[in-house]
Amino acid sequence: MKKTIILAIESSCDDTSAAVISDGILLSNTTASQKVHEEFGGVVPELASRAHQLNIIPVIDAALKRAGVTSDQLSAIAFTRGPGLLGSLLVGTSFAKGLALAHNIPLIEVNHLQAHILAHFIQTPDTSSESPSFPFLCLLVSGGNSQIVLVKDHYTMEIIGQTIDDAAGEAFDKCAKIMGLPYPGGPWIDRLAKEGNPDAFTFAKPNIPGYNYSFSGLKTSFLYFLRDQLKENPNFIEEHKADLCASLQKTIIDILILKLKRAAKDLGISQIAVAGGVSANNGLRNALIDLGKRHHWQVFIPPFAFTTDNAAMVAQAGYYRYLKGEFCPIDAAPYAKTKI
Ligand code: KG4
């Protein structure tokens, strides 16, 4: 029987990524990250779109070659339609449409947030990792989102809590910037935190009702604390960098875990997953493993390669839509904002 081979394209922010999935098995996943933003301390949307334009052909070419597939063998093209930066999304969307038209194959739109969650179902030829069973709770934490999602099946997801201001990744990145660390600051804080004392300093934790999050108060508390300390000792950051990172990371993790734990208890759900760029954080991974052990919950943590933006997760989400015959019109425009 003819195999279902899907090429997936991800270009929602500053990573250009392409992946190939064949009958639900991931054959390749290629990503080009953009260094151009480092000197600006954050993603510059116009530069991101231009870099996507430069990267998209070599990235797709490499994904097809690594999978051992040619474009005329493809059954469909999946692409991230949103949410994300509009200019970045336009590059991936336009390319996907061009390929789909040229080969006369269907186009599949993928919601970027759903894709992060569906990364838990990725299977490669040499691994068959266990996936969460439904319903499960997923803590979705990235540079733009912090949500607790109730996942009912591969297609039905409900946000039960979310940030009312900054995302967890934003808190990492903005506080890292205050300390003079490069962008994106999350991985730097993660690395430095390993050498520091998580109880050295205390920062503000929000008191928000329900399962919602807030991180803007923490960022302000961190900023004011450093401003005061620097008045006394201009070398304060340099002298306490590891302790600052460890204490900040612990505060962010405590905030995230508190609401997740509450939601799991209230809903009686014992399958817990984490997804998104911040799920690469070692402190968060350990805290979740610990939480699972204490409450006898099964915790699912994605492999590092599928935490930050990648097309493998888009391929997985696209495959499920293909199975349902859910295709999208050729005039579908990308969207910057959307819910799950
Ligand atoms: O999911 P993602 O790649 O992009 C979107 O926002 O969609 O997430 C990027 C975020 C950034 O804020 C980055 O600092 C954070 O994930 N991040 C981390 C780590 N690795 C990436 N934050 C903390 N610790 C890490 N190891």
Side-chain angles (χ1 to χ4, degrees), residues 10 12-15 83 112-113 116 140-145 167-173 183-191 249 275-284 304 307-310 313:
E10 155 65 33
S12 65
C13 190
D14 59 340
D15 290 305
H112 180 78
L113 303 176
H116 267 302
L140 176 54
V141 271
S142 67
N145 294 279
E170 237 176 318
F172 271 109
D173 295 342
Y183 177 85
W188 286 87
I189 291 183
D190 191 0
R191 236 170 284 142
Q249 179 170 294
V278 180
S279 69
N281 184 269
N282 287 286
L284 179 60
F304 281 107
T307 55
T308 44
D309 290 347
N310 65 87
M313 65 187 196

Side-chain angles (χ1 to χ4, degrees), residues 111 200 260:
N111 176 310
L260 182 64

Side-chain angles (χ1 to χ4, degrees), residues 10 15 18 43 96 112 136 138 141 155 169-170 176 218 245 252 272 276 290 294 307 340:
E10 155 65 33
D15 290 305
V43 177
H112 180 78
F136 67 91
C138 186
V141 271
Y155 311 90
E170 237 176 318
L218 167 62
C245 289
I252 295 175
I272 310 288
D290 205 48
R294 266 187 286 128
T307 55
I340 262 179

